[in-house]
Amino acid sequence: MEFLLGNPFSTPVGQCLEKATDGSLQSEDWTLNMEICDIINETEEGPRDAIRALKKRLNGNRNYREVMLALTVLETCVKNCGHRFHVLVANRDFIDSVLVKIISPKNNPPTIVQDKVLALIQAWADAFRSSPDLTGVVHIYEELKRKGVEFPMSDLDALSPIHTPQRSVPEVDPAAAMPRSQPQQRTSSGSYSAPAPAPYSAPQAPALSITGPITANSEQVLARFGATWDSPRAAAVQACEGRRGPTGTEPSAVCARQ
């Protein structure tokens, strides 16, 4: 019934997200990315509106530059937003119906997209393993591993932790109208601690080192999921998402709030 809510890109956070994931961008717009995080943290509808906009950008999109930009926004929001957003991202429905669906062999995604999605699932499964209401991603991760999906890194200690740097606007609970004095920070040990006071700086991430469209070919997909579409690896992702596949304009620096 989400269609009754209107265009996901019509909300304040949706407008920013649409611009931040525009395929004409040559690299990430970190001002927009952090503006998205701020809206999520300081508004009641921010988390759900952001998820709706992310779903619209990711589901069925064959413009893989836009997909990669959207995945970067998603990763940035997980690292810079709090529990209200984490609950919506780490649940089984979002991971299975959005992220796992992206890397299904029938969608023929390029390796760079496969690796990004699998790295996010793996990092979140490790970070949220001890949180009872965030274990949907853990279950999906374990299912994919059991079914033969190869993740880009097997050493979880080498993965970047869910680390929340100090941001421009701390997360607040709009319902309680009680701003938090400091944002949560994820440490590599798995516990949360208050961040040390420091000037804000945008999180660092590699820019897209691609000048043309991101495309896939059958060799890239087969290299990860096996030699044929009937192989266990090719079927693993399809099985996890509950379906079987075939056998054979530069944006403005800051979005205006509404």
Side-chain angles (χ1 to χ4, degrees), residues 30-31 34 165-166 199-205:
W30 285 109
T31 300
M34 299 313 299
Q166 185 166 339
Y200 166 76
S201 60
Q204 298 299 309

Side-chain angles (χ1 to χ4, degrees), residues 32-72:
L32 276 170
N33 289 356
M34 299 313 299
E35 176 73 3
I36 291 167
C37 294
D38 289 344
I39 297 174
I40 291 173
N41 291 327
E42 65 181 355
T43 65
E44 184 175 1
E45 298 300 324
R48 292 192 180 278
D49 287 346
I51 289 295
R52 288 179 60 231
L54 284 165
K55 285 182 177 180
K56 181 176 177 64
R57 187 59 96 191
L58 292 170
N59 282 337
N61 192 349
R62 295 305 181 94
N63 184 331
Y64 288 111
R65 175 177 293 280
E66 291 185 348
V67 170
M68 287 296 294
L69 287 169
L71 291 173
T72 297

Side-chain angles (χ1 to χ4, degrees), residues 231-242:
S231 69
R233 291 176 186 169
V237 173
Q238 296 167 334
C240 191
E241 66 174 338

Side-chain angles (χ1 to χ4, degrees), residues 132-237:
D133 55 345
L134 301 177
T135 56
V137 64
V138 179
H139 298 152
I140 295 294
Y141 168 68
E142 292 174 346
E143 289 175 13
L144 290 174
K145 287 194 68 176
R146 286 196 301 267
K147 294 174 181 178
V149 173
E150 296 181 2
F151 285 78
M153 296 184 66
S154 59
D155 183 7
L156 289 176
D157 291 335
L159 288 170
S160 174
I162 304 299
H163 177 83
T164 305
Q166 185 166 339
R167 54 184 179 260
S168 56
V169 178
E171 183 185 19
V172 298
D173 184 350
M178 293 289 291
R180 299 179 184 175
S181 58
Q182 293 184 3
Q184 290 179 325
Q185 181 176 24
R186 179 72 184 183
T187 65
S188 57
S189 63
S191 60
Y192 284 95
S193 61
Y200 166 76
S201 60
Q204 298 299 309
L208 292 175
S209 57
I210 303 168
T211 58
I214 302 174
T215 59
N217 55 56
S218 57
E219 289 77 10
Q220 290 175 322
V221 178
L222 294 175
R224 178 168 297 284
F225 293 102
T228 70
W229 296 121
D230 292 322
S231 69
R233 291 176 186 169
V237 173

